[in-house]
mmCIF file of all heavy atoms in Angstrom:
data_model
loop_
_atom_site.group_PDB
_atom_site.id
_atom_site.type_symbol
_atom_site.label_atom_id
_atom_site.label_comp_id
_atom_site.label_asym_id
_atom_site.label_seq_id
_atom_site.Cartn_x
_atom_site.Cartn_y
_atom_site.Cartn_z
ATOM 1 N N SER A 108 53.345 175.918 70.039
ATOM 2 C CA SER A 108 52.665 177.171 69.724
ATOM 3 C C SER A 108 52.269 177.755 71.020
ATOM 4 O O SER A 108 52.415 179.081 71.268
ATOM 5 C CB SER A 108 51.439 176.962 68.835
ATOM 6 O OG SER A 108 50.895 178.194 68.631
ATOM 7 N N PHE A 109 51.763 176.998 71.929
ATOM 8 C CA PHE A 109 51.343 177.555 73.226
ATOM 9 C C PHE A 109 52.528 178.239 73.994
ATOM 10 O O PHE A 109 52.311 179.271 74.611
ATOM 11 C CB PHE A 109 50.699 176.477 74.148
ATOM 12 C CG PHE A 109 50.307 176.959 75.539
ATOM 13 C CD1 PHE A 109 49.280 177.772 75.645
ATOM 14 C CD2 PHE A 109 51.007 176.511 76.665
ATOM 15 C CE1 PHE A 109 48.825 178.282 76.985
ATOM 16 C CE2 PHE A 109 50.645 177.025 77.917
ATOM 17 C CZ PHE A 109 49.605 177.828 77.978
ATOM 18 N N GLU A 110 53.578 177.581 74.050
ATOM 19 C CA GLU A 110 54.759 178.172 74.740
ATOM 20 C C GLU A 110 55.465 179.303 73.943
ATOM 21 O O GLU A 110 55.933 180.256 74.576
ATOM 22 C CB GLU A 110 55.845 177.050 75.013
ATOM 23 C CG GLU A 110 55.307 175.870 75.969
ATOM 24 C CD GLU A 110 56.339 174.846 76.223
ATOM 25 O OE1 GLU A 110 57.470 175.009 75.683
ATOM 26 O OE2 GLU A 110 55.883 173.729 76.784
ATOM 27 N N TYR A 111 55.484 179.117 72.635
ATOM 28 C CA TYR A 111 56.366 180.023 71.844
ATOM 29 C C TYR A 111 55.552 181.317 71.235
ATOM 30 O O TYR A 111 56.143 182.422 71.210
ATOM 31 C CB TYR A 111 57.003 179.324 70.723
ATOM 32 C CG TYR A 111 58.056 178.299 71.046
ATOM 33 C CD1 TYR A 111 58.449 178.013 72.320
ATOM 34 C CD2 TYR A 111 58.660 177.533 70.024
ATOM 35 C CE1 TYR A 111 59.480 177.060 72.568
ATOM 36 C CE2 TYR A 111 59.670 176.712 70.331
ATOM 37 C CZ TYR A 111 60.032 176.425 71.547
ATOM 38 O OH TYR A 111 61.088 175.568 71.796
ATOM 39 N N ASP A 112 54.449 181.132 70.807
ATOM 40 C CA ASP A 112 53.691 182.183 70.037
ATOM 41 C C ASP A 112 53.012 183.308 70.852
ATOM 42 O O ASP A 112 52.645 184.234 70.166
ATOM 43 C CB ASP A 112 52.707 181.491 69.036
ATOM 44 C CG ASP A 112 53.462 180.720 67.969
ATOM 45 O OD1 ASP A 112 54.475 181.238 67.424
ATOM 46 O OD2 ASP A 112 52.968 179.651 67.591
ATOM 47 N N GLY A 113 52.736 182.885 72.055
ATOM 48 C CA GLY A 113 51.989 183.894 72.806
ATOM 49 C C GLY A 113 52.844 185.039 73.585
ATOM 50 O O GLY A 113 54.056 184.784 73.677
ATOM 51 N N LEU A 114 52.240 186.020 73.904
ATOM 52 C CA LEU A 114 52.920 187.068 74.663
ATOM 53 C C LEU A 114 52.851 186.742 76.146
ATOM 54 O O LEU A 114 52.167 185.758 76.561
ATOM 55 C CB LEU A 114 52.272 188.424 74.367
ATOM 56 C CG LEU A 114 52.131 188.762 72.948
ATOM 57 C CD1 LEU A 114 51.648 190.265 72.829
ATOM 58 C CD2 LEU A 114 53.523 188.636 72.102
ATOM 59 N N GLY A 115 53.511 187.511 77.024
ATOM 60 C CA GLY A 115 53.483 187.337 78.441
ATOM 61 C C GLY A 115 54.833 186.743 78.849
ATOM 62 O O GLY A 115 55.647 186.321 78.075
ATOM 63 N N ASP A 116 54.889 186.485 80.222
ATOM 64 C CA ASP A 116 56.113 186.109 80.790
ATOM 65 C C ASP A 116 56.357 184.596 81.185
ATOM 66 O O ASP A 116 57.251 184.236 81.817
ATOM 67 C CB ASP A 116 56.527 186.949 81.999
ATOM 68 C CG ASP A 116 55.470 186.686 83.215
ATOM 69 O OD1 ASP A 116 54.499 186.050 83.070
ATOM 70 O OD2 ASP A 116 55.723 187.182 84.240
ATOM 71 N N ASN A 117 55.283 183.847 80.734
ATOM 72 C CA ASN A 117 55.338 182.419 81.141
ATOM 73 C C ASN A 117 56.551 181.648 80.813
ATOM 74 O O ASN A 117 57.165 181.024 81.469
ATOM 75 C CB ASN A 117 54.108 181.620 80.539
ATOM 76 C CG ASN A 117 52.818 181.879 81.392
ATOM 77 O OD1 ASN A 117 52.840 182.410 82.506
ATOM 78 N ND2 ASN A 117 51.681 181.553 80.741
ATOM 79 N N TYR A 118 56.952 181.890 79.516
ATOM 80 C CA TYR A 118 58.162 181.116 79.071
ATOM 81 C C TYR A 118 59.494 181.664 79.653
ATOM 82 O O TYR A 118 60.285 180.890 80.064
ATOM 83 C CB TYR A 118 58.291 181.222 77.505
ATOM 84 C CG TYR A 118 59.282 180.301 76.912
ATOM 85 C CD1 TYR A 118 58.943 178.864 76.794
ATOM 86 C CD2 TYR A 118 60.598 180.624 76.604
ATOM 87 C CE1 TYR A 118 59.821 177.927 76.372
ATOM 88 C CE2 TYR A 118 61.496 179.746 76.058
ATOM 89 C CZ TYR A 118 61.201 178.346 75.963
ATOM 90 O OH TYR A 118 62.084 177.529 75.562
ATOM 91 N N ALA A 119 59.531 182.871 79.902
ATOM 92 C CA ALA A 119 60.709 183.452 80.654
ATOM 93 C C ALA A 119 60.835 182.979 81.994
ATOM 94 O O ALA A 119 61.797 182.540 82.462
ATOM 95 C CB ALA A 119 60.564 185.059 80.633
ATOM 96 N N ARG A 120 59.663 182.930 82.637
ATOM 97 C CA ARG A 120 59.722 182.313 84.019
ATOM 98 C C ARG A 120 60.059 180.826 83.930
ATOM 99 O O ARG A 120 60.689 180.359 84.864
ATOM 100 C CB ARG A 120 58.235 182.507 84.690
ATOM 101 C CG ARG A 120 57.931 183.878 84.944
ATOM 102 C CD ARG A 120 56.738 184.083 85.822
ATOM 103 N NE ARG A 120 55.512 183.551 85.278
ATOM 104 C CZ ARG A 120 54.862 182.455 85.695
ATOM 105 N NH1 ARG A 120 55.391 181.677 86.719
ATOM 106 N NH2 ARG A 120 53.718 182.045 84.994
ATOM 107 N N PHE A 121 59.656 180.159 82.945
ATOM 108 C CA PHE A 121 59.984 178.718 82.843
ATOM 109 C C PHE A 121 61.485 178.607 82.720
ATOM 110 O O PHE A 121 62.078 177.763 83.372
ATOM 111 C CB PHE A 121 59.244 178.191 81.570
ATOM 112 C CG PHE A 121 59.978 176.893 80.998
ATOM 113 C CD1 PHE A 121 59.756 175.666 81.825
ATOM 114 C CD2 PHE A 121 60.650 176.786 79.922
ATOM 115 C CE1 PHE A 121 60.437 174.471 81.445
ATOM 116 C CE2 PHE A 121 61.275 175.743 79.500
ATOM 117 C CZ PHE A 121 61.144 174.429 80.202
ATOM 118 N N LEU A 122 62.128 179.404 81.835
ATOM 119 C CA LEU A 122 63.522 179.342 81.716
ATOM 120 C C LEU A 122 64.237 179.653 83.124
ATOM 121 O O LEU A 122 65.090 179.021 83.462
ATOM 122 C CB LEU A 122 64.029 180.245 80.662
ATOM 123 C CG LEU A 122 63.580 179.945 79.222
ATOM 124 C CD1 LEU A 122 64.007 180.971 78.199
ATOM 125 C CD2 LEU A 122 64.187 178.554 78.707
ATOM 126 N N LEU A 123 63.824 180.772 83.614
ATOM 127 C CA LEU A 123 64.552 181.273 84.759
ATOM 128 C C LEU A 123 64.334 180.589 86.049
ATOM 129 O O LEU A 123 65.253 180.353 86.826
ATOM 130 C CB LEU A 123 64.172 182.815 84.993
ATOM 131 C CG LEU A 123 64.495 183.756 83.852
ATOM 132 C CD1 LEU A 123 63.975 185.083 83.974
ATOM 133 C CD2 LEU A 123 66.072 183.838 83.585
ATOM 134 N N ASP A 124 63.129 180.183 86.182
ATOM 135 C CA ASP A 124 62.696 179.463 87.530
ATOM 136 C C ASP A 124 62.802 177.922 87.563
ATOM 137 O O ASP A 124 62.892 177.280 88.556
ATOM 138 C CB ASP A 124 61.345 179.868 87.937
ATOM 139 C CG ASP A 124 61.164 181.375 88.152
ATOM 140 O OD1 ASP A 124 62.191 182.155 88.297
ATOM 141 O OD2 ASP A 124 59.990 181.938 88.160
ATOM 142 N N GLU A 125 62.748 177.424 86.342
ATOM 143 C CA GLU A 125 62.711 175.938 86.255
ATOM 144 C C GLU A 125 63.888 175.268 85.419
ATOM 145 O O GLU A 125 64.678 174.458 85.967
ATOM 146 C CB GLU A 125 61.403 175.472 85.661
ATOM 147 C CG GLU A 125 60.217 175.951 86.584
ATOM 148 C CD GLU A 125 58.870 175.472 85.975
ATOM 149 O OE1 GLU A 125 58.725 175.107 84.821
ATOM 150 O OE2 GLU A 125 57.994 175.397 86.852
ATOM 151 N N LEU A 126 64.049 175.733 84.119
ATOM 152 C CA LEU A 126 65.047 174.988 83.323
ATOM 153 C C LEU A 126 66.396 175.358 83.684
ATOM 154 O O LEU A 126 67.306 174.342 83.793
ATOM 155 C CB LEU A 126 64.756 175.376 81.862
ATOM 156 C CG LEU A 126 65.613 174.451 80.920
ATOM 157 C CD1 LEU A 126 65.215 172.983 80.918
ATOM 158 C CD2 LEU A 126 65.615 175.081 79.476
ATOM 159 N N LEU A 127 66.776 176.613 83.816
ATOM 160 C CA LEU A 127 68.126 176.956 84.048
ATOM 161 C C LEU A 127 68.662 176.453 85.503
ATOM 162 O O LEU A 127 69.815 175.996 85.558
ATOM 163 C CB LEU A 127 68.351 178.522 83.881
ATOM 164 C CG LEU A 127 68.177 178.989 82.525
ATOM 165 C CD1 LEU A 127 68.636 180.502 82.455
ATOM 166 C CD2 LEU A 127 69.046 178.268 81.417
ATOM 167 N N PRO A 128 67.769 176.460 86.450
ATOM 168 C CA PRO A 128 68.177 175.845 87.631
ATOM 169 C C PRO A 128 68.496 174.323 87.528
ATOM 170 O O PRO A 128 69.355 173.775 88.161
ATOM 171 C CB PRO A 128 67.071 176.159 88.612
ATOM 172 C CG PRO A 128 66.483 177.346 88.161
ATOM 173 C CD PRO A 128 66.569 177.381 86.769
ATOM 174 N N ASP A 129 67.725 173.722 86.606
ATOM 175 C CA ASP A 129 67.977 172.298 86.391
ATOM 176 C C ASP A 129 69.201 172.124 85.699
ATOM 177 O O ASP A 129 69.978 171.184 85.969
ATOM 178 C CB ASP A 129 66.868 171.708 85.467
ATOM 179 C CG ASP A 129 66.921 170.107 85.387
ATOM 180 O OD1 ASP A 129 66.606 169.510 86.360
ATOM 181 O OD2 ASP A 129 67.334 169.721 84.338
ATOM 182 N N VAL A 130 69.593 172.924 84.782
ATOM 183 C CA VAL A 130 70.910 172.928 84.105
ATOM 184 C C VAL A 130 71.973 172.993 85.127
ATOM 185 O O VAL A 130 72.919 172.173 85.085
ATOM 186 C CB VAL A 130 71.007 174.063 83.125
ATOM 187 C CG1 VAL A 130 72.425 174.123 82.456
ATOM 188 C CG2 VAL A 130 69.999 173.918 81.903
ATOM 189 N N GLU A 131 71.933 173.821 86.096
ATOM 190 C CA GLU A 131 72.952 174.011 87.051
ATOM 191 C C GLU A 131 73.077 172.799 88.053
ATOM 192 O O GLU A 131 74.001 172.894 88.844
ATOM 193 C CB GLU A 131 72.800 175.344 87.852
ATOM 194 C CG GLU A 131 72.996 176.567 87.007
ATOM 195 C CD GLU A 131 73.186 177.811 87.809
ATOM 196 O OE1 GLU A 131 72.235 178.255 88.485
ATOM 197 O OE2 GLU A 131 74.239 178.443 87.670
ATOM 198 N N THR A 132 72.215 171.936 87.926
ATOM 199 C CA THR A 132 72.376 170.638 88.698
ATOM 200 C C THR A 132 73.307 169.671 88.017
ATOM 201 O O THR A 132 73.658 168.671 88.577
ATOM 202 C CB THR A 132 71.100 170.097 89.038
ATOM 203 O OG1 THR A 132 70.436 169.480 87.911
ATOM 204 C CG2 THR A 132 70.175 170.981 89.880
ATOM 205 N N ARG A 133 73.595 169.856 86.754
ATOM 206 C CA ARG A 133 74.335 168.932 86.001
ATOM 207 C C ARG A 133 75.804 169.210 85.971
ATOM 208 O O ARG A 133 76.289 170.313 86.357
ATOM 209 C CB ARG A 133 73.873 169.092 84.498
ATOM 210 C CG ARG A 133 72.361 169.154 84.296
ATOM 211 C CD ARG A 133 71.627 167.874 84.654
ATOM 212 N NE ARG A 133 70.324 167.814 84.327
ATOM 213 C CZ ARG A 133 69.499 166.793 84.454
ATOM 214 N NH1 ARG A 133 69.979 165.645 84.851
ATOM 215 N NH2 ARG A 133 68.246 166.850 84.110
ATOM 216 N N LYS A 134 76.576 168.189 85.490
ATOM 217 C CA LYS A 134 77.957 168.266 85.415
ATOM 218 C C LYS A 134 78.488 167.767 84.029
ATOM 219 O O LYS A 134 77.754 166.956 83.421
ATOM 220 C CB LYS A 134 78.724 167.456 86.477
ATOM 221 C CG LYS A 134 78.424 168.106 87.942
ATOM 222 C CD LYS A 134 79.235 167.181 88.991
ATOM 223 C CE LYS A 134 79.058 167.831 90.454
ATOM 224 N NZ LYS A 134 79.860 167.084 91.365
ATOM 225 N N THR A 135 79.658 168.320 83.649
ATOM 226 C CA THR A 135 80.262 167.726 82.377
ATOM 227 C C THR A 135 80.761 166.315 82.672
ATOM 228 O O THR A 135 80.943 165.933 83.795
ATOM 229 C CB THR A 135 81.418 168.717 82.048
ATOM 230 O OG1 THR A 135 82.377 168.691 83.053
ATOM 231 C CG2 THR A 135 80.913 170.102 81.787
ATOM 232 N N THR A 136 81.218 165.667 81.566
ATOM 233 C CA THR A 136 81.663 164.323 81.764
ATOM 234 C C THR A 136 82.933 164.260 82.522
ATOM 235 O O THR A 136 83.297 163.254 83.160
ATOM 236 C CB THR A 136 81.835 163.651 80.464
ATOM 237 O OG1 THR A 136 82.746 164.467 79.541
ATOM 238 C CG2 THR A 136 80.555 163.371 79.685
ATOM 239 N N ASP A 137 83.729 165.397 82.689
ATOM 240 C CA ASP A 137 84.929 165.433 83.443
ATOM 241 C C ASP A 137 84.681 165.975 84.827
ATOM 242 O O ASP A 137 85.646 166.193 85.638
ATOM 243 C CB ASP A 137 86.069 166.157 82.693
ATOM 244 C CG ASP A 137 85.719 167.575 82.481
ATOM 245 O OD1 ASP A 137 84.610 168.047 82.914
ATOM 246 O OD2 ASP A 137 86.485 168.347 81.801
ATOM 247 N N GLY A 138 83.370 166.104 85.227
ATOM 248 C CA GLY A 138 83.105 166.449 86.549
ATOM 249 C C GLY A 138 82.849 167.925 86.887
ATOM 250 O O GLY A 138 82.706 168.273 88.011
ATOM 251 N N ARG A 139 83.068 168.820 85.879
ATOM 252 C CA ARG A 139 82.952 170.279 86.113
ATOM 253 C C ARG A 139 81.392 170.575 86.389
ATOM 254 O O ARG A 139 80.558 170.237 85.597
ATOM 255 C CB ARG A 139 83.451 171.027 84.939
ATOM 256 C CG ARG A 139 84.973 171.050 84.798
ATOM 257 C CD ARG A 139 85.308 171.824 83.510
ATOM 258 N NE ARG A 139 84.919 171.089 82.266
ATOM 259 C CZ ARG A 139 84.917 171.609 81.074
ATOM 260 N NH1 ARG A 139 85.154 172.788 80.871
ATOM 261 N NH2 ARG A 139 84.538 170.818 80.050
ATOM 262 N N ALA A 140 81.217 171.296 87.505
ATOM 263 C CA ALA A 140 79.895 171.845 87.838
ATOM 264 C C ALA A 140 79.562 172.884 86.888
ATOM 265 O O ALA A 140 80.404 173.639 86.401
ATOM 266 C CB ALA A 140 79.802 172.358 89.300
ATOM 267 N N ILE A 141 78.198 172.943 86.360
ATOM 268 C CA ILE A 141 77.797 173.932 85.351
ATOM 269 C C ILE A 141 77.348 175.208 86.150
ATOM 270 O O ILE A 141 76.318 175.072 86.947
ATOM 271 C CB ILE A 141 76.732 173.391 84.569
ATOM 272 C CG1 ILE A 141 77.315 172.331 83.607
ATOM 273 C CG2 ILE A 141 76.081 174.538 83.677
ATOM 274 C CD1 ILE A 141 76.394 171.672 82.735
ATOM 275 N N ARG A 142 77.902 176.306 86.032
ATOM 276 C CA ARG A 142 77.427 177.610 86.750
ATOM 277 C C ARG A 142 77.232 178.609 85.684
ATOM 278 O O ARG A 142 77.991 178.850 84.755
ATOM 279 C CB ARG A 142 78.579 178.064 87.654
ATOM 280 C CG ARG A 142 78.892 177.051 88.826
ATOM 281 C CD ARG A 142 79.900 177.686 89.771
ATOM 282 N NE ARG A 142 79.447 178.863 90.407
ATOM 283 C CZ ARG A 142 80.258 179.910 90.708
ATOM 284 N NH1 ARG A 142 81.488 179.811 90.463
ATOM 285 N NH2 ARG A 142 79.786 181.027 91.217
ATOM 286 N N LEU A 143 76.046 179.183 85.709
ATOM 287 C CA LEU A 143 75.537 180.139 84.685
ATOM 288 C C LEU A 143 75.412 181.556 85.313
ATOM 289 O O LEU A 143 74.910 181.689 86.449
ATOM 290 C CB LEU A 143 74.160 179.703 84.193
ATOM 291 C CG LEU A 143 74.054 178.268 83.666
ATOM 292 C CD1 LEU A 143 72.662 178.040 83.250
ATOM 293 C CD2 LEU A 143 75.019 178.027 82.525
ATOM 294 N N SER A 144 75.850 182.456 84.549
ATOM 295 C CA SER A 144 75.787 184.006 85.000
ATOM 296 C C SER A 144 74.301 184.237 85.158
ATOM 297 O O SER A 144 73.341 183.976 84.358
ATOM 298 C CB SER A 144 76.465 184.942 84.031
ATOM 299 O OG SER A 144 76.129 186.178 84.435
ATOM 300 N N LYS A 145 74.030 185.022 86.272
ATOM 301 C CA LYS A 145 72.598 185.508 86.427
ATOM 302 C C LYS A 145 72.385 186.954 85.948
ATOM 303 O O LYS A 145 71.281 187.535 85.954
ATOM 304 C CB LYS A 145 72.268 185.484 87.909
ATOM 305 C CG LYS A 145 72.495 184.106 88.549
ATOM 306 C CD LYS A 145 71.617 183.029 88.071
ATOM 307 C CE LYS A 145 71.713 181.768 88.900
ATOM 308 N NZ LYS A 145 72.932 181.080 88.920
ATOM 309 N N ASN A 146 73.463 187.530 85.324
ATOM 310 C CA ASN A 146 73.480 188.855 84.825
ATOM 311 C C ASN A 146 72.852 188.969 83.500
ATOM 312 O O ASN A 146 73.287 188.149 82.508
ATOM 313 C CB ASN A 146 74.891 189.470 84.787
ATOM 314 C CG ASN A 146 74.971 190.940 84.419
ATOM 315 O OD1 ASN A 146 74.070 191.469 83.796
ATOM 316 N ND2 ASN A 146 76.084 191.585 84.876
ATOM 317 N N GLY A 147 71.759 189.669 83.272
ATOM 318 C CA GLY A 147 71.223 189.781 81.960
ATOM 319 C C GLY A 147 72.077 190.177 80.788
ATOM 320 O O GLY A 147 71.935 189.853 79.657
ATOM 321 N N ASN A 148 73.131 190.988 81.209
ATOM 322 C CA ASN A 148 74.039 191.386 80.187
ATOM 323 C C ASN A 148 74.898 190.229 79.666
ATOM 324 O O ASN A 148 75.560 190.375 78.496
ATOM 325 C CB ASN A 148 74.970 192.454 80.631
ATOM 326 C CG ASN A 148 75.851 193.151 79.579
ATOM 327 O OD1 ASN A 148 75.225 193.579 78.632
ATOM 328 N ND2 ASN A 148 77.029 193.201 79.937
ATOM 329 N N ASP A 149 74.891 189.230 80.427
ATOM 330 C CA ASP A 149 75.666 187.974 80.023
ATOM 331 C C ASP A 149 74.860 186.861 79.371
ATOM 332 O O ASP A 149 75.325 185.766 79.159
ATOM 333 C CB ASP A 149 76.274 187.312 81.287
ATOM 334 C CG ASP A 149 77.363 188.260 81.936
ATOM 335 O OD1 ASP A 149 77.803 189.202 81.246
ATOM 336 O OD2 ASP A 149 77.618 188.057 83.044
#
């Protein structure tokens, strides 16, 4: 509830500054690097 139900940009910052950068450190089982678009339209 703390993360989801409140207003403000905390959760957006968590995704953009912390979680998605962590995702991009990962690789698929066949070794492909994970690269995510930074464009909001994507």
